[in-house]
Amino acid sequence: MAFDPDGLRFDDAGLIPAIAQDASSGAVLMMAWMNAEAVRRTLETGRVTYWSRSRQAFWVKGETSGNLQHLVEMRIDCDADCLLLQVRQDGPACHTGRQSCFYTAIRDGDAVEIMRPA
Amino acid sequence: MAFDPDGLRFDDAGLIPAIAQDASSGAVLMMAWMNAEAVRRTLETGRVTYWSRSRQAFWVKGETSGNLQHLVEMRIDCDADCLLLQVRQDGPACHTGRQSCFYTAIRDGDAVEIMRPA
């Protein structure tokens, strides 16, 4: 069945959450947002392109830093309101220099850093 | 540093997205939403508890189906507006009987089913 980005279920702001996962290691790298046009550009260019809610602009991940996300495969969930992006990540995904944005764990009631910048 | 669920960045509806990942296989299983009390209950009980937006009620994952999600570790991202749950999943995570909700891939412009019900 032909995939139509407009058939996804976007929120009231026209956005859908997109989870980026390292295609080889399986590490969950980050979560950000896309609109229909960002989904389209990601599929067309193979470079993961989000919609920045703070800047209200398209955001080609890594365009400034060089830490691009190359799309390996896009997947959609059962109710079409979330995307899973299998990616090949150049450099660290997090703006803090860490491989993943999820570098803080809750352990015994404390927030603990479990990953250092590369 | 002591973790306070109220310190998370919730959206205007008081919710934060929570990604469930199989702690052993690394498979991303699903994404759902939590409010501060759901985060608290998940940490206290070790059973992943979401907030159902459709039912406007707490949703102990698997309470009806038996397919519980046991929390292995909760992680938060760099800007504290998304959670990553490392879980041990009883049975399939998806209500369709599939291991993961992300069973549809976009390949050559088509939506393709890549996972069958268990």
Side-chain angles (χ1 to χ4, degrees):
Chain A
M1 191 176 64
F3 172 67
D4 178 5
D6 293 316
L8 295 169
R9 287 172 58 194
F10 298 96
D11 68 10
D12 292 345
L15 301 176
I16 188 169
I19 302 160
Q21 181 178 33
D22 188 294
S24 52
S25 74
V28 174
L29 302 175
M30 57 180 285
M31 197 282 277
W33 299 81
M34 290 186 175
N35 57 18
E37 178 61 20
V39 172
R40 214 168 274 120
R41 292 186 187 193
T42 297
L43 288 169
E44 281 172 11
T45 64
R47 290 196 296 184
V48 177
T49 303
Y50 300 102
W51 176 257
S52 166
R53 297 181 301 172
S54 55
R55 291 189 290 112
Q56 289 286 302
F58 290 103
W59 164 30
V60 179
K61 172 71 183 167
E63 196 173 38
T64 311
S65 65
N67 299 328
L68 290 168
Q69 280 181 348
H70 306 274
L71 184 69
V72 174
E73 185 165 89
M74 183 181 289
R75 298 180 187 166
I76 60 181
D77 76 346
C78 51
D79 45 8
D81 65 359
C82 187
L83 302 174
L84 177 63
L85 313 171
Q86 301 283 327
V87 304
R88 182 168 55 76
Q89 172 73 49
D90 289 346
C94 185
H95 73 287
T96 65
R98 293 171 177 85
Q99 181 216 7
S100 163
C101 294
F102 296 95
Y103 58 81
T104 304
I106 312 305
R107 294 181 177 172
D108 298 326
D110 285 329
V112 179
E113 188 182 320
I114 57 170
M115 201 181 299
R116 295 295 306 159
Chain B
M1 191 175 63
F3 171 67
D4 178 4
D6 293 316
L8 295 169
R9 286 172 57 194
F10 297 96
D11 68 12
D12 292 344
L15 301 175
I16 187 169
I19 303 159
Q21 180 178 34
D22 187 294
S24 52
S25 73
V28 174
L29 303 175
M30 57 180 285
M31 197 282 278
W33 298 81
M34 291 187 175
N35 58 18
E37 178 60 19
V39 172
R40 216 169 273 120
R41 292 185 186 192
T42 297
L43 289 169
E44 280 171 11
T45 64
R47 291 197 296 185
V48 177
T49 303
Y50 300 101
W51 177 258
S52 167
R53 297 180 301 173
S54 55
R55 292 189 291 110
Q56 289 286 301
F58 290 102
W59 165 30
V60 179
K61 172 70 182 165
E63 196 173 38
T64 310
S65 65
N67 298 329
L68 291 167
Q69 280 181 347
H70 306 276
L71 184 69
V72 174
E73 185 164 271
M74 182 181 288
R75 298 181 187 164
I76 60 182
D77 76 346
C78 51
D79 46 8
D81 64 359
C82 187
L83 301 174
L84 176 63
L85 312 171
Q86 300 283 328
V87 304
R88 181 168 56 76
Q89 172 74 49
D90 290 346
C94 185
H95 74 286
T96 65
R98 293 170 177 87
Q99 181 215 10
S100 163
C101 294
F102 296 94
Y103 57 82
T104 305
I106 312 306
R107 293 182 177 170
D108 297 325
D110 285 328
V112 178
E113 188 182 320
I114 58 169
M115 203 181 298
R116 295 295 305 159

